[in-house]
Amino acid sequence: MHRHHGDEVHEHDRGLSYDLPVLARRRMIRLLAGASLVPLVGCTSDEGTSASSSSSASTAASGGSASSAECATIPDETAGPFPGDGSNGVNVLKESGVVRSDIRQSFGDSAGGTAEGVPLTITLTVVDAASGCGTPKQGAAVYVWQCDREGAYSLYSDGVTEENYLRGVQETDEQGRVTFTSIFPGCYPGRWPHLHFEVYGSLADATAATSITNTSQLAFPEDVCDAVYATDGYGTSVRNLSGLSLEDDGIFSDGHERQLATMKGSTTEGYTATLTVPV
């Protein structure tokens, strides 16, 4: 089902100072690539095609696969206005406890709240783009953050400024993987459902909030969003998603194939989202 933008525009991730420079660069890259008549196809962690899902059915959706010759670095995206990485005042990366796999609960000196929602396991595999995506980047680090079921970002949004849930850092293992336990994010006005992440050269760099190598976003497939938002607690997301599409989203409109998560699972047992991240 194709969706069209509504008239409402929200401040989340929509500031021109964040979005326009990145979008302009990416559109120029795609224009130059298009001149060669050879499309760039990103690497994903699983091969497959998207399958329709319901609130009780399993799903599988993929952003595609690629050979080593077709590997390209993950698209660079805005971190948005709520990164919590020290770039705009708030810095969760230097707090004790930020290195963790389960990011559903706040930690440290926060209010101690827990984000509720459909369970989601996120696995990102960081690989070396220069080697054709064939070499895992062991010892790198990934910081992920996302909104909660209501579309609010901890540390920033009204009502959750004293929380720091849905934020965490992991070091990549020998296979280049990091895994986080989370909840499926809500959809707020003006943005397609997504997850933010930053890649660092090492865990020391990440916890010092320095030397980011890549900043990007992960997109969730439409059929899975529809299934999740039909469950309790996601009522506002149904309305917000109805005016959006991946093709019209301000971040993903110039190509989302290499950022679309591969999804498996159900609303009753939870979902897994996987994505290969060439850097």
Side-chain angles (χ1 to χ4, degrees):
M1 178 176 65
H2 183 68
R3 304 179 190 274
H4 297 281
H5 267 298
D7 295 329
E8 185 176 9
V9 177
H10 197 273
E11 67 175 352
H12 290 282
D13 300 343
R14 303 293 288 168
L16 291 178
S17 62
Y18 290 95
D19 295 347
L20 290 182
V22 172
L23 294 177
R25 289 198 302 272
R26 290 186 60 197
R27 286 176 179 133
M28 180 58 71
I29 292 171
R30 288 178 63 81
L31 179 62
L32 293 175
S36 67
L37 300 181
V38 180
L40 288 176
V41 180
C43 301
T44 59
S45 54
D46 295 287
E47 292 187 3
T49 58
S50 177
S52 62
S53 64
S54 65
S55 59
S56 61
S58 296
T59 65
S62 175
S65 61
S67 68
S68 60
E70 296 170 324
C71 180
T73 303
I74 192 76
D76 188 29
E77 304 288 12
T78 174
F82 312 120
D85 60 2
S87 60
N88 63 355
V90 182
N91 194 339
V92 74
L93 293 176
K94 293 186 177 182
E95 294 187 19
S96 176
V98 72
V99 180
R100 61 200 187 130
S101 59
D102 191 334
I103 62 174
R104 292 174 293 182
Q105 187 169 3
S106 292
F107 64 94
D109 296 329
S110 71
T114 300
E116 303 291 341
V118 171
L120 175 68
T121 299
I122 306 153
T123 297
L124 304 179
T125 302
V126 183
V127 296
D128 182 20
S131 68
C133 291
T135 304
K137 296 282 285 188
Q138 181 178 5
V142 180
Y143 166 46
V144 301
W145 71 98
Q146 65 172 81
C147 69
D148 62 19
R149 185 168 59 183
E150 287 74 36
Y153 283 88
S154 65
L155 301 175
Y156 294 89
S157 301
D158 290 344
V160 293
T161 56
E162 300 303 315
E163 304 288 356
N164 56 18
Y165 54 53
L166 302 181
R167 299 175 184 273
V169 175
Q170 282 280 288
E171 183 178 29
T172 58
D173 62 16
E174 65 277 2
Q175 294 179 308
R177 292 179 180 173
V178 293
T179 299
F180 297 91
T181 301
S182 186
I183 56 99
F184 200 91
C187 177
Y188 51 79
R191 280 303 319 276
W192 187 261
H194 62 282
L195 173 126
H196 295 265
F197 62 91
E198 292 173 343
V199 181
Y200 293 79
S202 67
L203 187 61
D205 285 344
T207 54
T210 187
S211 302
I212 299 170
T213 63
N214 303 84
T215 302
S216 196
Q217 298 182 25
L218 173 153
F220 292 97
E222 181 177 352
D223 61 338
V224 178
C225 294
D226 286 337
V228 172
Y229 296 161
T231 65
D232 292 341
Y234 287 94
T236 59
S237 293
V238 175
R239 180 179 66 252
N240 293 334
L241 188 70
S242 66
L244 301 173
S245 74
L246 272 165
E247 289 74 21
D248 294 335
D249 182 74
I251 298 300
F252 300 123
S253 60
D254 59 348
H256 55 266
E257 294 83 3
R258 291 186 285 131
Q259 296 163 277
L260 188 63
T262 297
M263 303 291 299
K264 296 180 180 179
S266 68
T267 56
T268 54
E269 298 185 1
Y271 287 94
T272 61
T274 59
L275 184 72
T276 295
V277 181
V279 301

